[in-house]
Amino acid sequence: MLRAGLGRRSRCCGGLWRSPCPAAASGSARALSAASASPSPGSGGGARSGDAPPAGASNVKPLDGVKILDLTRILAGPFATMNLGDLGAEVIKVERPGAGDDTRAWGPPFAGTESVYFLSVNRNKKSIAINMKDSKGVKLIKELAAASDVFVENFVPGKLAEMGLGYEDIKKIAPHIVYCSITGYGQTGPVVQRGGYDSIAAAVSGLMHITGHEDGEPVRAGVAMTDLATGLYTYGAIMAGLLQRYKTGKGLHIDCNLLSTQVACLTHVAANYLNCKIEAKRWGTAHGSIVPYQAFKTKDGYIVVGAGNDHQFVTVCKILNLPEVSKDSRYKTNTLRVQNRKELIDILSTRFSEKATTEWLQLFEGHGVPYGPINNMQQVFSDPQVLHNGLVMEMNHPTAGRIAVPERH
């Protein structure tokens, strides 16, 4: 829910930040000064002015001057705030004294002593360790919030309110704040006190039910897609919140949660059930409503081919030298191909198995049919288009040395 402008703030230092500062364990003033860069002239607390950057400033990012207080851990929240940091926001990440974010211990692998998992979603941030169970720590959080534009947290509903750091508490000292809560299930309801992890939400939401081989067991996606999707929803909601605040001059409360995100992302699978009472099933790499649209085994690997319309299907048949298949009355339309899926896929699979992946890639090139190989990581990061798009960010880390992480471009 959205309960809202953009302000001038000190810019965020780039790169990945150090481990939580032990000096901050009791919530000291020294820790506050270490985590907060000096504000720009005339940018005191309270509602933001929305001043525009100087004309002709070619290196200004969209969120330059926006300060984000980040109390999130694990993946959904850190992924959202990392993306906001990529756009220029100054992100101050609050962690537990000593242990820090749980993902600091998630490994191997490690880069030096740093968890690679942690490094992958925490660039463009500054770290401060604050004991929020201590009254001094709570006071520090409030001081930071008063000087921030955005407050992001992913505690169980009601937990921060018990500490005096809930939305209503922060709103009193920072009426301009865009306060975003990320939870497993939402702010109200019968199961909101349960902890929320990606795999659990993927199970409850039905994503695992529709993922895996057709006759196999439910499968978790290779990366935490529910967390990542929630992070992207959060990222967009915060951007919208900042825009709303720019228009109204008022702060707001944003509610994001894993369950709602994943149910929304069921899209046509959910619509099939809601409108036609068709229970979903697993299709492996195939698609329930489009044929052919799946991976095919080649002599030495796999190729994925998708024929989204009848013209593309005819083209696929030409490439495979199967003109009689495109003329077969059983396969003339996509609806018919779905109805006669098994027979058609058997024919296509036999033909694909006759050549190596690279041979098929060459034959499909330039014909207007979507296709591609199933790549491993080495192949992904040597792919010409991945290299051209600049999807790897390299940087120097103070303890891990030179590291590389994926980035959107």
Side-chain angles (χ1 to χ4, degrees):
M1 61 179 176
L2 290 175
R3 296 231 197 248
L6 297 176
R8 301 288 302 280
R9 283 287 172 194
S10 55
R11 295 185 184 177
C12 175
C13 297
L16 294 168
W17 29 270
R18 301 176 187 272
S19 299
C21 173
S26 63
S28 65
R30 177 184 172 189
L32 173 63
S33 63
S36 304
S38 301
S40 303
S43 62
R48 301 297 170 261
S49 63
D51 292 341
S58 60
N59 61 343
V60 173
K61 293 186 176 181
L63 295 184
D64 271 352
V66 173
K67 183 176 289 185
I68 297 174
L69 185 60
D70 180 8
L71 276 65
T72 66
R73 304 90 71 204
I74 314 296
L75 183 54
F79 186 64
T81 55
M82 179 185 72
N83 279 287
L84 294 166
D86 284 346
L87 295 183
E90 178 179 2
V91 182
I92 298 174
K93 182 179 175 85
V94 177
E95 302 188 60
R96 293 176 300 164
D101 189 317
D102 287 353
T103 59
R104 285 185 179 273
W106 287 10
F110 294 92
T113 59
E114 303 287 348
S115 162
V116 172
Y117 189 112
F118 173 83
L119 295 176
S120 72
V121 290
N122 283 291
R123 65 175 177 263
N124 293 326
K125 301 176 185 179
K126 303 173 182 179
S127 175
I128 180 172
I130 298 179
N131 181 4
M132 293 191 295
K133 296 179 181 179
D134 186 290
S135 60
K136 293 181 180 178
V138 172
K139 182 174 181 291
L140 276 176
I141 294 292
K142 289 183 175 180
E143 290 179 10
L144 285 167
S148 298
D149 299 283
V150 180
F151 186 113
V152 193
E153 57 91 7
N154 65 344
F155 287 77
V156 172
K159 189 66 175 178
L160 285 187
E162 292 175 4
M163 301 179 187
L165 297 173
Y167 173 64
E168 295 300 330
D169 302 298
I170 299 300
K171 179 182 177 182
K172 292 175 184 176
I173 60 171
H176 63 278
I177 204 76
V178 175
Y179 189 112
C180 181
S181 299
I182 306 171
T183 62
Y185 301 95
Q187 295 297 308
T188 60
V191 299
V192 295
Q193 293 304 310
R194 293 181 186 174
Y197 269 1
D198 171 89
S199 290
I200 312 305
V204 175
S205 69
L207 178 61
M208 279 193 186
H209 175 71
I210 61 175
T211 305
H213 290 297
E214 185 173 356
D215 299 319
E217 307 229 341
V219 172
R220 174 187 176 275
V223 292
M225 287 310 303
T226 302
D227 267 343
L228 295 172
T230 303
L232 291 174
Y233 267 107
T234 300
Y235 163 78
I238 289 173
M239 295 287 281
L242 287 168
L243 181 59
Q244 180 170 319
R245 191 188 71 181
Y246 180 75
K247 294 178 176 180
T248 66
K250 298 179 181 179
L252 65 156
H253 186 202
I254 297 169
D255 175 18
C256 295
N257 69 82
L258 302 182
L259 179 64
S260 296
T261 292
Q262 190 53 67
V263 170
C265 287
L266 292 177
T267 57
H268 70 281
V269 174
N272 289 347
Y273 175 77
L274 293 173
N275 294 283
C276 304
K277 300 307 176 191
I278 298 175
E279 182 54 75
K281 58 177 288 186
R282 291 181 284 283
W283 286 105
T285 65
H287 194 291
S289 301
I290 308 171
V291 175
Y293 192 114
Q294 66 180 76
F296 293 94
K297 188 170 177 54
T298 66
K299 266 189 175 181
D300 60 351
Y302 293 88
I303 184 172
V304 178
V305 174
N309 57 53
D310 297 336
H311 176 72
Q312 289 180 344
F313 175 68
V314 171
T315 302
V316 168
C317 291
K318 288 180 180 178
I319 295 171
L320 298 181
N321 194 24
L322 293 171
E324 69 281 4
V325 174
S326 65
K327 297 174 184 176
D328 192 314
S329 60
R330 295 173 296 172
Y331 312 132
K332 278 293 186 181
T333 68
N334 180 69
T335 300
L336 290 169
R337 292 192 292 274
V338 170
Q339 292 171 356
N340 296 285
R341 176 192 301 268
K342 186 180 184 308
E343 298 89 340
L344 176 57
I345 295 304
D346 285 346
I347 294 170
L348 300 182
S349 296
T350 298
R351 182 52 55 89
F352 274 112
S353 69
E354 296 173 358
K355 297 181 186 293
T357 302
T358 54
E359 294 180 81
W360 286 122
L361 296 178
Q362 292 168 1
L363 288 170
F364 272 88
E365 180 66 30
H367 283 85
V369 175
Y371 71 97
I374 294 181
N375 288 333
N376 61 28
M377 291 302 101
Q378 186 277 328
Q379 292 166 328
V380 169
F381 291 106
S382 59
D383 181 275
Q385 192 64 47
V386 172
L387 295 173
H388 173 80
N389 288 356
L391 300 181
V392 176
M393 176 185 290
E394 295 186 346
M395 65 193 79
N396 293 316
H397 186 276
T399 61
R402 191 72 173 169
I403 65 169
V405 294
E407 69 161 336
R408 60 193 178 90
H409 188 70

